Amino acid sequence: MKINRNAPCPCGSGRKYKHCCLRKSETASPRKKLIAVLAWLTVAGITLFGIVNIIERARNLDDPSGGSRVWSEEHQHWH
């Protein structure tokens, strides 16, 4: 027999079933777990890429050419 979500929990806690034992009885399928892991990895990868990009931009702030030219100490300008 299926227990209604809003019914009192059969464990005797006095709470509604949806706030007590329903969570324990619902287990994620392997497919849902895989999707969750892939989503987390995607978000983590995008975040890491963004952080690396920000760091690279910060390193190149002193070079206005974006890395295609070099500073000449002798002439005191970019070549």
Side-chain angles (χ1 to χ4, degrees):
M1 179 169 106
K2 186 174 179 182
I3 302 170
N4 187 354
R5 288 174 37 90
N6 291 318
C9 190
C11 74
S13 67
R15 298 168 58 190
K16 288 185 180 181
Y17 178 64
K18 67 182 177 183
H19 294 298
C20 190
C21 291
L22 177 64
R23 294 180 190 164
K24 297 173 193 171
S25 66
E26 290 179 340
T27 57
S29 68
R31 182 177 177 176
K32 286 184 180 180
K33 288 180 184 177
L34 177 63
I35 291 171
V37 168
L38 290 176
W40 185 87
L41 288 173
T42 302
V43 170
I46 291 170
T47 304
L48 183 61
F49 177 77
I51 291 170
V52 168
N53 195 6
I54 290 170
I55 292 170
E56 284 296 317
R57 285 184 185 180
R59 287 183 179 169
N60 293 328
L61 284 179
D62 59 341
D63 181 2
S65 68
S68 61
R69 300 188 302 173
V70 294
W71 180 258
S72 170
E73 287 293 329
E74 179 183 353
H75 300 117
Q76 295 296 311
H77 62 89
W78 293 97
H79 287 271

Coordinates of all heavy atoms in Angstrom, one line a residue:
M1 N 0.8 -1.2 0.0 CA 0.0 0.0 0.0 C 0.9 1.2 0.0 O 1.9 1.3 0.7 CB -0.9 0.0 1.3 CG -1.8 1.2 1.4 SD -3.0 1.0 2.6 CE -2.4 2.0 3.9
K2 N 0.5 2.2 -0.8 CA 1.3 3.4 -1.0 C 0.8 4.4 0.1 O -0.3 4.6 0.3 CB 1.1 4.0 -2.3 CG 2.0 5.2 -2.6 CD 1.8 5.7 -4.0 CE 2.7 6.9 -4.2 NZ 2.6 7.4 -5.6
I3 N 1.8 5.1 0.7 CA 1.5 6.0 1.8 C 1.4 7.4 1.1 O 2.2 7.8 0.3 CB 2.6 6.1 2.8 CG1 2.8 4.7 3.4 CG2 2.4 7.1 3.9 CD1 4.0 4.5 4.3
N4 N 0.4 8.2 1.5 CA 0.2 9.5 1.0 C 1.3 10.4 1.6 O 1.6 10.3 2.7 CB -1.2 10.0 1.4 CG -1.6 11.4 0.8 OD1 -0.7 12.0 0.2 ND2 -2.8 11.8 1.1
R5 N 1.8 11.3 0.8 CA 2.8 12.2 1.2 C 2.5 13.1 2.4 O 3.3 13.3 3.3 CB 3.2 13.2 0.0 CG 3.9 12.5 -1.1 CD 4.2 13.5 -2.3 NE 4.5 14.9 -1.9 CZ 5.7 15.4 -1.7 NH1 6.7 14.6 -1.9 NH2 5.9 16.6 -1.5
N6 N 1.2 13.5 2.5 CA 0.8 14.4 3.6 C 0.3 13.6 4.8 O -0.1 14.2 5.8 CB -0.2 15.3 3.1 CG 0.4 16.4 2.1 OD1 1.5 16.9 2.4 ND2 -0.3 16.7 1.1
A7 N 0.3 12.3 4.7 CA -0.2 11.5 5.9 C 0.9 11.5 7.0 O 2.1 11.7 6.7 CB -0.5 10.1 5.4
P8 N 0.5 11.2 8.2 CA 1.5 11.1 9.3 C 2.4 9.9 9.0 O 2.0 8.9 8.4 CB 0.6 10.8 10.5 CG -0.7 11.2 10.2 CD -0.9 11.1 8.7
C9 N 3.7 10.1 9.3 CA 4.7 9.1 9.0 C 4.4 7.8 9.8 O 4.2 7.9 11.0 CB 6.1 9.6 9.3 SG 7.4 8.6 8.7
P10 N 4.5 6.6 9.2 CA 4.2 5.4 9.9 C 5.3 5.0 10.9 O 5.1 4.2 11.8 CB 4.2 4.3 8.8 CG 4.9 4.9 7.6 CD 4.7 6.4 7.8
C11 N 6.5 5.8 10.9 CA 7.5 5.5 11.9 C 7.2 6.0 13.3 O 7.8 5.6 14.3 CB 8.9 6.0 11.4 SG 9.0 7.8 11.6
G12 N 6.1 6.8 13.4 CA 5.7 7.3 14.7 C 6.4 8.6 15.1 O 6.3 9.0 16.3
S13 N 7.0 9.3 14.2 CA 7.7 10.5 14.6 C 6.8 11.7 14.8 O 7.1 12.7 15.4 CB 8.7 10.9 13.5 OG 8.1 11.3 12.3
G14 N 5.6 11.6 14.3 CA 4.6 12.7 14.4 C 4.7 13.7 13.2 O 3.9 14.6 13.2
R15 N 5.7 13.5 12.4 CA 5.9 14.4 11.3 C 5.1 13.8 10.1 O 4.8 12.7 10.0 CB 7.4 14.5 11.0 CG 8.1 15.2 12.1 CD 9.6 15.0 11.9 NE 10.1 15.7 10.7 CZ 11.3 15.5 10.2 NH1 12.2 14.8 10.9 NH2 11.7 16.1 9.1
K16 N 5.0 14.7 9.0 CA 4.4 14.2 7.8 C 5.4 13.3 7.1 O 6.6 13.4 7.2 CB 4.0 15.4 6.9 CG 2.9 16.2 7.3 CD 2.5 17.3 6.3 CE 1.3 18.1 6.8 NZ 1.0 19.1 5.8
Y17 N 4.8 12.3 6.4 CA 5.6 11.3 5.7 C 6.6 12.0 4.7 O 7.8 11.6 4.6 CB 4.7 10.4 4.9 CG 5.5 9.3 4.1 CD1 6.3 8.4 4.8 CD2 5.3 9.3 2.8 CE1 6.9 7.4 4.0 CE2 6.0 8.3 2.0 CZ 6.8 7.4 2.7 OH 7.5 6.4 1.9
K18 N 6.2 13.1 4.0 CA 7.0 13.8 3.1 C 8.3 14.4 3.7 O 9.3 14.7 3.1 CB 6.3 14.8 2.2 CG 5.7 16.0 3.0 CD 4.9 16.9 2.1 CE 4.3 18.1 2.8 NZ 3.5 18.9 1.9
H19 N 8.1 14.8 5.0 CA 9.2 15.4 5.7 C 10.0 14.5 6.5 O 11.0 14.9 7.2 CB 8.7 16.6 6.6 CG 8.1 17.7 5.8 ND1 8.8 18.5 5.0 CD2 6.9 18.2 5.8 CE1 8.0 19.4 4.4 NE2 6.8 19.2 5.0
C20 N 9.7 13.2 6.5 CA 10.4 12.2 7.4 C 11.0 11.1 6.6 O 12.1 11.2 6.1 CB 9.4 11.7 8.4 SG 10.1 10.7 9.7
C21 N 10.2 10.0 6.4 CA 10.8 8.8 5.8 C 10.7 8.7 4.3 O 11.3 7.9 3.7 CB 10.1 7.6 6.4 SG 10.6 7.3 8.1
L22 N 9.9 9.7 3.6 CA 9.8 9.6 2.2 C 11.2 9.8 1.6 O 11.6 9.2 0.6 CB 8.8 10.7 1.7 CG 8.7 10.8 0.2 CD1 8.1 9.6 -0.4 CD2 7.9 12.0 -0.2
R23 N 12.0 10.8 2.1 CA 13.3 11.0 1.6 C 14.2 9.8 1.7 O 15.0 9.5 0.8 CB 13.9 12.2 2.3 CG 13.2 13.5 2.1 CD 13.9 14.6 2.8 NE 13.1 15.8 2.7 CZ 13.2 16.8 3.5 NH1 14.1 16.8 4.4 NH2 12.4 17.9 3.4
K24 N 14.0 9.1 2.8 CA 14.8 7.8 3.0 C 14.5 6.8 2.0 O 15.3 6.0 1.5 CB 14.7 7.3 4.4 CG 15.1 8.3 5.4 CD 14.8 7.7 6.8 CE 15.0 8.8 7.9 NZ 14.4 8.4 9.2
S25 N 13.2 6.7 1.6 CA 12.7 5.7 0.7 C 13.0 6.0 -0.8 O 13.0 5.1 -1.6 CB 11.2 5.4 0.9 OG 10.4 6.5 0.5
E26 N 13.1 7.3 -1.1 CA 13.4 7.6 -2.5 C 14.9 7.6 -2.7 O 15.6 8.3 -2.1 CB 12.9 9.1 -2.7 CG 11.4 9.2 -2.8 CD 10.9 10.6 -3.0 OE1 11.8 11.5 -2.8 OE2 9.8 10.8 -3.4
T27 N 15.3 6.7 -3.6 CA 16.7 6.7 -3.9 C 16.9 7.1 -5.4 O 16.0 6.7 -6.2 CB 17.3 5.3 -3.7 OG1 16.5 4.3 -4.5 CG2 17.3 4.9 -2.2
A28 N 17.9 7.8 -5.7 CA 18.1 8.3 -7.0 C 18.6 7.1 -7.9 O 19.4 6.3 -7.4 CB 19.2 9.4 -7.0
S29 N 18.1 7.0 -9.1 CA 18.5 6.0 -10.0 C 20.0 6.3 -10.5 O 20.4 7.4 -10.4 CB 17.6 5.9 -11.2 OG 17.8 7.1 -12.0
P30 N 20.7 5.2 -10.9 CA 22.0 5.5 -11.4 C 22.1 6.5 -12.5 O 23.1 7.3 -12.6 CB 22.5 4.1 -11.9 CG 21.6 3.1 -11.1 CD 20.3 3.8 -10.9
R31 N 21.1 6.6 -13.3 CA 21.0 7.5 -14.4 C 21.0 9.0 -13.9 O 21.7 9.9 -14.3 CB 19.9 7.3 -15.4 CG 19.8 8.2 -16.5 CD 18.7 7.9 -17.5 NE 18.7 8.8 -18.5 CZ 17.8 8.8 -19.5 NH1 17.0 7.8 -19.6 NH2 17.9 9.7 -20.4
K32 N 20.1 9.2 -12.9 CA 20.0 10.5 -12.2 C 21.3 10.9 -11.5 O 21.7 12.0 -11.6 CB 18.8 10.5 -11.3 CG 17.5 10.5 -11.9 CD 16.4 10.7 -10.9 CE 15.0 10.7 -11.6 NZ 13.9 10.8 -10.6
K33 N 21.9 9.9 -10.9 CA 23.2 10.2 -10.3 C 24.3 10.6 -11.3 O 25.0 11.5 -11.1 CB 23.7 9.0 -9.5 CG 22.9 8.7 -8.2 CD 23.4 7.5 -7.5 CE 22.6 7.2 -6.3 NZ 23.0 5.9 -5.6
L34 N 24.3 9.9 -12.4 CA 25.3 10.2 -13.5 C 25.0 11.6 -14.0 O 26.0 12.4 -14.2 CB 25.2 9.2 -14.6 CG 26.1 9.4 -15.8 CD1 27.5 9.4 -15.4 CD2 25.8 8.4 -16.9
I35 N 23.8 11.9 -14.3 CA 23.4 13.3 -14.8 C 23.8 14.3 -13.8 O 24.4 15.4 -14.2 CB 21.9 13.3 -15.1 CG1 21.6 12.5 -16.3 CG2 21.5 14.8 -15.4 CD1 20.1 12.3 -16.6
A36 N 23.6 14.1 -12.5 CA 24.0 15.1 -11.5 C 25.5 15.3 -11.4 O 26.0 16.4 -11.3 CB 23.5 14.6 -10.1
V37 N 26.2 14.2 -11.5 CA 27.7 14.3 -11.5 C 28.2 15.0 -12.8 O 29.1 15.9 -12.7 CB 28.4 12.9 -11.4 CG1 29.8 12.9 -11.7 CG2 28.1 12.3 -10.0
L38 N 27.6 14.7 -13.9 CA 28.1 15.4 -15.1 C 27.7 16.8 -15.1 O 28.5 17.7 -15.5 CB 27.4 14.7 -16.4 CG 27.9 13.3 -16.7 CD1 27.2 12.7 -17.9 CD2 29.4 13.3 -17.0
A39 N 26.6 17.2 -14.5 CA 26.2 18.6 -14.4 C 27.2 19.3 -13.5 O 27.6 20.4 -13.8 CB 24.8 18.7 -13.9
W40 N 27.5 18.7 -12.4 CA 28.5 19.3 -11.4 C 29.8 19.5 -12.1 O 30.4 20.5 -11.9 CB 28.6 18.4 -10.2 CG 29.4 19.0 -9.1 CD1 29.0 19.9 -8.2 CD2 30.8 18.9 -8.9 NE1 30.1 20.3 -7.4 CE2 31.2 19.7 -7.8 CE3 31.8 18.1 -9.6 CZ2 32.5 19.7 -7.4 CZ3 33.1 18.2 -9.1 CH2 33.4 19.0 -8.0
L41 N 30.3 18.5 -12.8 CA 31.6 18.6 -13.4 C 31.6 19.7 -14.5 O 32.6 20.4 -14.7 CB 32.0 17.2 -14.1 CG 32.4 16.1 -13.1 CD1 32.6 14.8 -13.8 CD2 33.6 16.5 -12.3
T42 N 30.5 19.8 -15.2 CA 30.4 20.9 -16.2 C 30.5 22.2 -15.6 O 31.2 23.1 -16.0 CB 29.1 20.7 -17.0 OG1 29.0 19.4 -17.6 CG2 28.9 21.8 -18.1
V43 N 29.7 22.4 -14.5 CA 29.8 23.7 -13.8 C 31.2 24.0 -13.2 O 31.7 25.1 -13.3 CB 28.7 23.8 -12.7 CG1 28.9 25.0 -11.8 CG2 27.3 23.7 -13.3
A44 N 31.8 23.0 -12.7 CA 33.1 23.1 -12.1 C 34.1 23.4 -13.2 O 35.0 24.3 -13.0 CB 33.5 21.8 -11.4
G45 N 34.0 22.8 -14.4 CA 34.9 23.0 -15.5 C 34.8 24.5 -16.0 O 35.8 25.1 -16.3
I46 N 33.5 24.9 -16.2 CA 33.3 26.3 -16.6 C 33.9 27.3 -15.6 O 34.5 28.3 -16.0 CB 31.8 26.5 -16.9 CG1 31.4 25.7 -18.1 CG2 31.5 28.0 -17.1 CD1 29.9 25.6 -18.3
T47 N 33.6 27.0 -14.4 CA 34.2 27.9 -13.3 C 35.7 28.0 -13.3 O 36.3 29.0 -13.3 CB 33.7 27.5 -11.9 OG1 32.2 27.4 -12.0 CG2 34.1 28.4 -10.9
L48 N 36.3 26.8 -13.4 CA 37.8 26.7 -13.5 C 38.3 27.4 -14.7 O 39.3 28.2 -14.6 CB 38.2 25.3 -13.4 CG 39.7 25.0 -13.4 CD1 40.3 25.7 -12.2 CD2 40.0 23.6 -13.5
F49 N 37.7 27.2 -15.8 CA 38.1 27.9 -17.1 C 38.0 29.4 -16.9 O 38.9 30.2 -17.3 CB 37.2 27.5 -18.2 CG 37.6 28.2 -19.5 CD1 38.7 27.8 -20.2 CD2 36.8 29.2 -20.0 CE1 39.0 28.5 -21.4 CE2 37.1 29.9 -21.2 CZ 38.2 29.5 -21.9
G50 N 37.0 29.9 -16.3 CA 36.8 31.4 -16.0 C 37.9 31.9 -15.1 O 38.4 33.0 -15.4
I51 N 38.2 31.2 -14.1 CA 39.2 31.6 -13.1 C 40.6 31.7 -13.8 O 41.3 32.6 -13.6 CB 39.3 30.7 -11.9 CG1 38.0 30.9 -11.1 CG2 40.5 30.9 -11.0 CD1 37.8 29.9 -10.0
V52 N 40.9 30.6 -14.6 CA 42.2 30.6 -15.3 C 42.2 31.8 -16.3 O 43.3 32.4 -16.4 CB 42.4 29.3 -16.0 CG1 43.5 29.3 -17.0 CG2 42.6 28.2 -15.0
N53 N 41.1 32.0 -17.0 CA 41.1 33.2 -17.9 C 41.3 34.5 -17.2 O 42.1 35.3 -17.7 CB 39.8 33.2 -18.6 CG 39.8 34.0 -19.9 OD1 40.8 34.5 -20.3 ND2 38.6 34.2 -20.5
I54 N 40.7 34.7 -16.0 CA 40.9 35.9 -15.3 C 42.4 36.1 -14.8 O 43.0 37.2 -14.9 CB 40.0 35.9 -14.1 CG1 38.5 36.1 -14.5 CG2 40.4 37.0 -13.1 CD1 37.5 35.9 -13.4
I55 N 43.0 35.0 -14.4 CA 44.4 35.0 -14.0 C 45.3 35.3 -15.2 O 46.2 36.2 -15.0 CB 44.8 33.7 -13.3 CG1 44.1 33.5 -12.0 CG2 46.3 33.6 -13.1 CD1 44.2 32.1 -11.4
E56 N 45.0 34.8 -16.3 CA 45.8 35.1 -17.5 C 45.7 36.5 -17.9 O 46.7 37.1 -18.3 CB 45.5 34.1 -18.7 CG 46.0 32.7 -18.5 CD 47.5 32.7 -18.5 OE1 48.1 33.4 -19.4 OE2 48.1 32.0 -17.7
R57 N 44.5 37.0 -17.8 CA 44.3 38.5 -18.2 C 45.1 39.3 -17.2 O 45.6 40.4 -17.6 CB 42.9 38.8 -18.2 CG 42.1 38.3 -19.4 CD 40.7 38.7 -19.4 NE 39.9 38.1 -20.5 CZ 38.7 38.4 -20.7 NH1 38.0 39.2 -19.9 NH2 38.1 37.8 -21.7
A58 N 45.0 39.0 -15.9 CA 45.7 39.8 -14.9 C 47.2 39.8 -15.2 O 47.9 40.8 -14.9 CB 45.4 39.3 -13.5
R59 N 47.8 38.7 -15.6 CA 49.2 38.6 -15.9 C 49.6 39.4 -17.0 O 50.8 39.9 -17.1 CB 49.6 37.1 -16.1 CG 49.6 36.3 -14.8 CD 50.1 34.9 -15.1 NE 50.1 34.1 -13.9 CZ 50.3 32.8 -13.9 NH1 50.5 32.2 -15.0 NH2 50.3 32.2 -12.7
N60 N 48.7 39.6 -18.0 CA 49.0 40.3 -19.2 C 48.6 41.8 -19.2 O 48.7 42.5 -20.2 CB 48.4 39.6 -20.4 CG 48.9 38.3 -20.7 OD1 50.1 38.0 -20.4 ND2 48.1 37.4 -21.2
L61 N 48.3 42.3 -18.0 CA 47.9 43.7 -17.9 C 49.0 44.7 -18.2 O 48.8 45.8 -18.8 CB 47.3 44.0 -16.5 CG 45.9 43.5 -16.2 CD1 45.5 43.8 -14.8 CD2 44.9 44.1 -17.2
D62 N 50.2 44.3 -17.9 CA 51.3 45.2 -18.2 C 51.8 45.2 -19.6 O 52.6 46.0 -20.1 CB 52.5 44.9 -17.3 CG 53.0 43.4 -17.5 OD1 52.3 42.6 -18.0 OD2 54.2 43.2 -17.1
D63 N 51.2 44.3 -20.4 CA 51.6 44.2 -21.9 C 50.3 44.6 -22.7 O 49.4 43.8 -22.9 CB 52.0 42.8 -22.2 CG 52.4 42.6 -23.7 OD1 52.4 43.6 -24.4 OD2 52.7 41.5 -24.1
P64 N 50.2 45.8 -23.2 CA 49.0 46.3 -23.9 C 48.8 45.6 -25.2 O 47.7 45.6 -25.7 CB 49.3 47.8 -24.1 CG 50.8 48.0 -24.0 CD 51.3 46.9 -23.1
S65 N 49.8 44.9 -25.7 CA 49.6 44.3 -27.0 C 49.0 42.9 -26.9 O 48.6 42.3 -27.9 CB 51.0 44.1 -27.7 OG 51.8 43.2 -27.0
G66 N 48.8 42.4 -25.7 CA 48.2 41.1 -25.5 C 49.2 39.9 -25.7 O 48.8 38.8 -25.9
G67 N 50.5 40.2 -25.6 CA 51.5 39.1 -25.7 C 52.2 39.0 -27.0 O 53.1 38.2 -27.2
S68 N 51.8 39.8 -28.0 CA 52.5 39.6 -29.3 C 53.7 40.5 -29.5 O 54.5 40.3 -30.4 CB 51.5 40.0 -30.5 OG 51.1 41.3 -30.3
R69 N 54.0 41.4 -28.5 CA 55.2 42.2 -28.6 C 56.0 42.0 -27.3 O 55.5 41.5 -26.3 CB 54.8 43.7 -28.8 CG 54.0 43.9 -30.0 CD 53.8 45.4 -30.3 NE 53.1 46.0 -29.2 CZ 52.8 47.3 -29.1 NH1 53.3 48.1 -30.1 NH2 52.2 47.8 -28.1
V70 N 57.3 42.5 -27.4 CA 58.1 42.4 -26.2 C 58.6 43.7 -25.9 O 58.8 44.6 -26.7 CB 59.3 41.4 -26.5 CG1 58.8 40.0 -26.7 CG2 60.1 41.9 -27.7
W71 N 58.9 44.0 -24.6 CA 59.4 45.2 -24.1 C 60.9 45.3 -24.3 O 61.7 44.4 -23.9 CB 59.1 45.4 -22.6 CG 59.6 46.7 -22.0 CD1 60.6 46.8 -21.2 CD2 59.0 48.0 -22.2 NE1 60.8 48.1 -20.9 CE2 59.8 48.9 -21.5 CE3 57.9 48.4 -22.9 CZ2 59.5 50.2 -21.4 CZ3 57.6 49.8 -22.9 CH2 58.4 50.7 -22.1
S72 N 61.4 46.4 -24.9 CA 62.8 46.6 -25.0 C 63.4 47.5 -23.9 O 63.0 48.6 -23.9 CB 63.1 47.2 -26.4 OG 64.5 47.6 -26.5
E73 N 64.2 46.9 -23.1 CA 64.8 47.7 -22.0 C 65.7 48.8 -22.6 O 65.8 49.9 -22.1 CB 65.6 46.8 -21.1 CG 64.7 46.0 -20.2 CD 63.9 46.8 -19.2 OE1 64.4 47.9 -18.8 OE2 62.8 46.4 -18.9
E74 N 66.4 48.4 -23.7 CA 67.3 49.4 -24.3 C 66.6 50.6 -24.9 O 67.1 51.7 -24.7 CB 68.1 48.6 -25.5 CG 69.1 49.5 -26.2 CD 69.7 48.8 -27.4 OE1 69.5 47.6 -27.5 OE2 70.5 49.5 -28.1
H75 N 65.5 50.4 -25.6 CA 64.8 51.5 -26.2 C 63.6 52.0 -25.4 O 63.0 53.0 -25.7 CB 64.3 51.1 -27.6 CG 65.3 50.6 -28.5 ND1 65.4 49.3 -29.0 CD2 66.4 51.3 -29.0 CE1 66.5 49.2 -29.8 NE2 67.1 50.4 -29.8
Q76 N 63.3 51.3 -24.3 CA 62.2 51.7 -23.4 C 60.8 51.8 -24.1 O 60.1 52.7 -23.9 CB 62.5 53.0 -22.7 CG 63.7 52.8 -21.7 CD 63.4 51.9 -20.6 OE1 62.4 51.9 -20.0 NE2 64.3 50.9 -20.4
H77 N 60.6 50.9 -25.0 CA 59.2 50.8 -25.7 C 59.0 49.4 -26.2 O 59.9 48.5 -26.2 CB 59.1 51.9 -26.8 CG 60.1 51.7 -27.9 ND1 59.8 50.9 -29.0 CD2 61.4 52.2 -28.1 CE1 60.9 50.9 -29.9 NE2 61.8 51.7 -29.3
W78 N 57.8 49.2 -26.7 CA 57.4 47.8 -27.1 C 57.9 47.6 -28.5 O 57.8 48.5 -29.4 CB 55.9 47.6 -27.1 CG 55.4 47.6 -25.7 CD1 54.8 48.7 -25.0 CD2 55.3 46.5 -24.8 NE1 54.5 48.3 -23.7 CE2 54.8 47.0 -23.6 CE3 55.7 45.2 -24.9 CZ2 54.6 46.2 -22.5 CZ3 55.5 44.4 -23.8 CH2 55.0 44.9 -22.6
H79 N 58.3 46.4 -28.9 CA 58.7 46.0 -30.2 C 57.8 44.8 -30.7 O 57.4 44.0 -29.9 CB 60.1 45.4 -30.3 CG 61.1 46.5 -30.1 ND1 61.6 47.2 -31.2 CD2 61.7 47.1 -29.0 CE1 62.5 48.1 -30.8 NE2 62.6 48.0 -29.5

